[in-house]
Amino acid sequence: MANATPWTDRVAGALSVSALGDAIGLPTEARGLRGEIAVDADPADPFELPVADTFRGETGDPWNIWAPASRTAGMRGVVSDDTAVRVALIEPWLAETLGAGTPADALTENDWLDWLTRRRVPDPEPWREAMVTQHAAQWPPMYALADGENPGCSDGPCFYKPGEPACFGYFLFAELALLFADRPLPDVFDRFSNFCRLDQGPGPTITGVVAALIAQAARDESQAEPLPRLWDRVLAELTQAGRLDASLLHDVFLQPGQIGAHASGRSIEVFLQRVQREIYDHTTLAPNHDLKPFDPALQLAQISAYVGYAGDDPWLALKLAALGPGDTDTLAATLGLIVGASLGHDAALRSEAGEALAAVEASTAALFDSPLPRRAAALVGSDRSEIQSL
């Protein structure tokens, strides 16, 4: 990104690579949610980005591709709700709130919910505003359920079920961790583990760890840290500070990471079969409930295995997230925030993922009328001069 400071380049990298992860995971999501792996030959390359016509239906879906089929026909690099929520809801809230001078420390979940009820509707495109409004309407009923109320939330888009953990906290608010890159990791963990009241079971801890990983990756250091080393550094600091209990540390991070590292000489397909068998279908690591693919502990266990297998190759880790079992678009979008923050936008564009990254940026800007510089400016808090056109 032209004339960007190191930090704003990392912000742009996080947003862009997360959208790339979302886009490469979306075509394989249907198989992943059935618990299958999507690699039929070794190696498979999700960065080839099939056109939307090959994997989407005629109608929009607020939890998948929002736009009507006519808007995505022939388009490569189409994103799902993981990116759309950020572009259409979270980032406009941040642009308004941070742009008005509110400090990052003052941001709260309730502020976001209040903004949802009074949000401005500047979009002149009827189809776009309709899909954003449809999605925005899904969140207040889930919070009402969490608060013990009965809002008449129907089955389907309403994912919240009392007692069943799902990836709400880092699905909605993970990119906010970019604003805390200068804070001690235990402080980042504490803030984000208590941020989203939809988080249940291990959800608060997982949200806190994901935020700490993003914040560490976004720190202004001279060189990107290999993912396994970044993982180890964050886990060690949080464990030493008493934020991770031994059982969760073992089940979600250490054991899956060892499964990945020990399989690093095997083919991708053989490794993903092992992830499917020993992590995704394992009775201890994989809770047996209706929202299993969205369970935050299971998702982070999978990502830990991919990081262990890929070693110093972050792009391989991202591809694995898109090819394995489970909610592939969310897995790859979450890992993409960490990878992009670590590498920065300029380095990502110069990498093997550069062509796919550019295609995803173009598709996302076309669908949501929000180019990457505007998205990055939303987190910076204003249209600063260092954020210019790509």
Side-chain angles (χ1 to χ4, degrees):
M1 179 167 281
N3 298 330
T5 66
W7 179 67
T8 54
D9 181 64
R10 290 174 185 268
V11 168
L15 300 182
S16 184
V17 178
S18 180
L20 172 63
D22 185 6
I24 65 173
L26 181 56
T28 59
E29 183 184 27
R31 292 184 64 173
L33 293 179
R34 294 194 298 267
E36 303 172 2
I37 63 174
V39 56
D40 298 310
D42 186 14
D45 190 0
F47 290 170
E48 292 179 0
L49 293 176
V51 297
D53 313 57
T54 64
F55 60 86
R56 69 152 294 167
E58 287 297 315
T59 59
D61 180 341
W63 295 105
N64 290 286
I65 304 171
W66 293 4
S70 60
R71 296 285 178 167
T72 59
M75 186 178 284
R76 296 171 62 243
V78 174
V79 296
S80 78
D81 58 321
D82 293 81
T83 301
V85 167
R86 294 183 178 129
V87 177
L89 296 176
I90 297 295
E91 287 160 18
W93 163 57
L94 291 174
E96 181 177 325
T97 305
L98 296 175
T102 302
D105 280 332
L107 295 172
T108 69
E109 181 179 59
N110 284 336
D111 291 337
W112 178 68
L113 286 169
D114 290 344
W115 179 87
L116 273 185
T117 64
R118 57 178 174 77
R119 68 187 183 89
R120 290 183 258 176
V121 186
D123 197 334
E125 290 276 5
W127 68 269
R128 185 185 290 124
E129 180 48 38
M131 72 179 182
V132 175
T133 298
Q134 180 185 16
H135 194 98
Q138 308 298 327
W139 292 101
M142 289 193 280
Y143 279 93
L145 274 176
D147 293 339
E149 302 171 11
N150 182 14
C153 188
S154 62
D155 292 336
C158 186
F159 272 33
Y160 183 86
K161 295 183 179 181
E164 294 190 4
C167 57
F168 292 109
Y170 63 82
F171 175 88
L172 285 172
F173 303 116
E175 70 181 50
L176 273 66
L178 295 164
L179 301 172
F180 297 87
D182 61 341
R183 307 297 177 84
L185 294 182
D187 293 353
V188 177
F189 175 92
D190 291 343
R191 174 169 179 77
F192 284 88
S193 63
N194 294 299
F195 200 91
C196 183
R197 65 180 183 270
L198 294 180
D199 282 342
Q200 303 173 96
T205 296
I206 300 303
T207 297
V209 172
V210 169
L213 287 164
I214 294 168
Q216 176 63 37
R219 290 184 175 170
D220 185 8
E221 298 174 349
S222 59
Q223 188 173 357
E225 193 169 29
L227 283 180
R229 193 178 306 162
L230 174 70
W231 235 250
D232 290 344
R233 180 200 295 241
V234 171
L235 294 177
E237 191 163 338
L238 293 180
T239 301
Q240 186 174 8
R243 301 309 195 269
L244 292 177
D245 67 70
S247 176
L248 195 68
L249 178 67
H250 175 268
D251 291 346
V252 176
F253 299 103
L254 299 183
Q255 185 181 51
Q258 291 170 357
I259 289 174
H262 293 161
S264 60
R266 305 289 183 89
S267 71
I268 290 175
E269 187 166 13
V270 168
F271 166 60
L272 289 177
Q273 289 171 346
R274 186 174 180 186
V275 169
Q276 181 185 41
R277 182 177 65 252
E278 298 185 26
I279 296 178
Y280 194 80
D281 292 333
H282 195 279
T283 54
T284 299
L285 288 174
N288 190 14
H289 56 72
D290 291 345
L291 297 177
K292 172 182 171 178
F294 315 105
D295 186 281
L298 178 57
Q299 290 194 346
L300 262 291
Q302 290 178 252
I303 293 176
S304 296
Y306 301 148
V307 168
Y309 179 90
D312 292 346
D313 186 352
W315 302 117
L316 175 56
L318 202 67
K319 293 176 183 180
L320 294 169
L323 295 171
D327 189 19
T328 52
D329 57 337
T330 296
L331 288 166
T334 301
L335 182 57
L337 278 171
I338 301 166
V339 171
S342 178
L343 296 176
H345 184 255
D346 285 349
L349 274 182
R350 294 194 302 268
S351 74
E352 66 177 87
E355 191 274 336
L357 197 67
V360 172
E361 290 175 5
S363 298
T364 303
L367 288 174
F368 298 99
D369 191 28
S370 188
L372 182 62
R374 189 188 306 168
R375 296 188 61 200
L379 271 84
V380 173
S382 64
D383 292 322
R384 294 187 183 180
S385 59
E386 66 262 25
I387 302 179
Q388 300 180 0
S389 297
L390 298 176

